[in-house]
Amino acid sequence: MQHPPRKIIIDTDPGQDDAFAILLALASPEDVEVLGLTAVAGNVGLNWTERNTRIICELAGKPQMKVFAGCDRPMRRDLVTAEHVHGKTGLDGPVMVEPTMPLQSQHGVDFIIETLRREPTGSVTLCPLGPLTNIATAFVRAPDIVGRIAQIVLMGGGYFEGGNITPAAEFNIFVDPEAADIVFRAGVPLVVMPLDVTHKALTSRARVEAFRALGSTVGRVAAEWADFFERFDMEKYGSDGAPLHDPCVIAYLIRPDLFKGRHINVMIETQSELTRGMTVADWWGVTGRPANALFMGSVDANGFFDLLTERLGRL
Ligand code: RIB
Ligand code: CA
């Protein structure tokens, strides 16, 4: 029996991998109803991430989607960006035309608060794909919304894989560790896609050529984003491809059976500069601290790419 689509808000810092996640969501209306997309500063500045979010919605043929600009810097720290991975625009690779769809005038944080207060309790899932600044700021401004959230399914952190921006920390958590600490302590049911699982969702020549073989503009652009995005990770890790981090979040909503993980306690390091942003994941249950997250460790990579490619083929 088909369940009604899950209502979601995508919070994002595009980023080529964010783009794959957004395209997957917009191609899957039977699974997810995207209530809106809130941009946050992360991979690149907010002026780029909000523009990029609109570009991706137009590429998907959804210019009616509501896109909001959220926070332009972390709660307490200076912004750290990742142009070295994603390029100056954050969507380097193919040349993209400037978006014509409007940016909503409402602040992204206010949209999150207003939506959660309006929709029935337990009916909205938050899908953060970047630093958690917008989410945590909404929690601070409107604590009443915390109990109304069905689930937060986010990309961030790492345990067995360590970090990707420092030896200890993954980028999204590193950029705004205070925000992550608020979110991980809030008591909202969390599903976490850390590097431990996203580093198993690797592109390959065959997988990228399958995007290109779709023969559509979306397929071509997706392949060119992957071609650009993978060069950094292939050089750093010596791998044959790059991890498509963020679409793991949306794929979980559609096919949770593709993923395996454990309910464990995860806390965020905010004090030490050496390990700032580390997700201290109690995978072996040694702390006695209560589990607060389903922390993913593995994915059926072939099933993931088959799903992603099939859905991109719809656009
Ligand atoms: O560390 C990977 C994460 O940081 C991904 O979400 C990528 O888009 C960047 O935001
Ligand atoms: Ca991202």
Side-chain angles (χ1 to χ4, degrees), residues 13 17-18 43 129-130 172 246:
D13 66 332
D17 63 314
D18 300 67
N43 283 320
L129 309 178
N172 288 340
D246 292 337

Side-chain angles (χ1 to χ4, degrees), residues 13 15-18 42-43 86 129-131 155 164 170-172 195 229 245-246:
D13 66 332
Q16 290 88 350
D17 63 314
D18 300 67
N43 283 320
H86 300 276
L129 309 178
M155 190 278 145
N164 59 0
E170 176 278 324
F171 180 81
N172 288 340
L195 299 176
F229 176 70
H245 307 283
D246 292 337

Side-chain angles (χ1 to χ4, degrees), residues 19-34:
F20 280 93
I22 295 167
L23 291 173
L24 177 57
L26 296 179
S28 307
E30 72 269 42
D31 298 293
V32 292
E33 178 188 350
V34 182

Side-chain angles (χ1 to χ4, degrees), residues 252-264:
Y252 173 79
L253 301 179
I254 301 169
R255 287 278 312 279
D257 59 295
L258 292 174
F259 299 88
K260 286 187 173 51
R262 279 186 191 179
H263 276 100
I264 62 172

Side-chain angles (χ1 to χ4, degrees), residues 10-26 37-44 48-50 52-53 56-57 59 82 85-86 89-91 127-131 154-155 170-172 225 229 243-250 308 312:
I10 297 176
D11 190 70
T12 183
D13 66 332
Q16 290 88 350
D17 63 314
D18 300 67
F20 280 93
I22 295 167
L23 291 173
L24 177 57
L26 296 179
L37 300 97
T38 50
V40 67
N43 283 320
V44 285
W48 289 111
T49 59
E50 67 84 357
N52 295 344
T53 305
I56 298 158
C57 288
L59 176 66
V85 179
H86 300 276
T89 71
L91 282 185
C127 298
L129 309 178
L154 67 89
M155 190 278 145
E170 176 278 324
F171 180 81
N172 288 340
W225 275 334
F229 176 70
L244 283 189
H245 307 283
D246 292 337
C248 289
V249 168
I250 306 301
L308 181 57
L312 291 180

Side-chain angles (χ1 to χ4, degrees), residues 258-307:
L258 292 174
F259 299 88
K260 286 187 173 51
R262 279 186 191 179
H263 276 100
I264 62 172
N265 179 270
V266 182
M267 303 300 285
I268 310 298
E269 172 61 66
T270 59
Q271 303 306 310
S272 156
E273 277 314 301
L274 181 65
T275 54
R276 154 193 169 171
M278 180 179 184
T279 47
V280 182
D282 189 7
W283 185 263
W284 304 112
V286 299
T287 67
R289 291 193 292 256
N292 60 337
L294 175 55
F295 196 81
M296 293 302 184
S298 61
V299 59
D300 167 359
N302 286 329
F304 169 76
F305 277 94
D306 288 349
L307 173 70

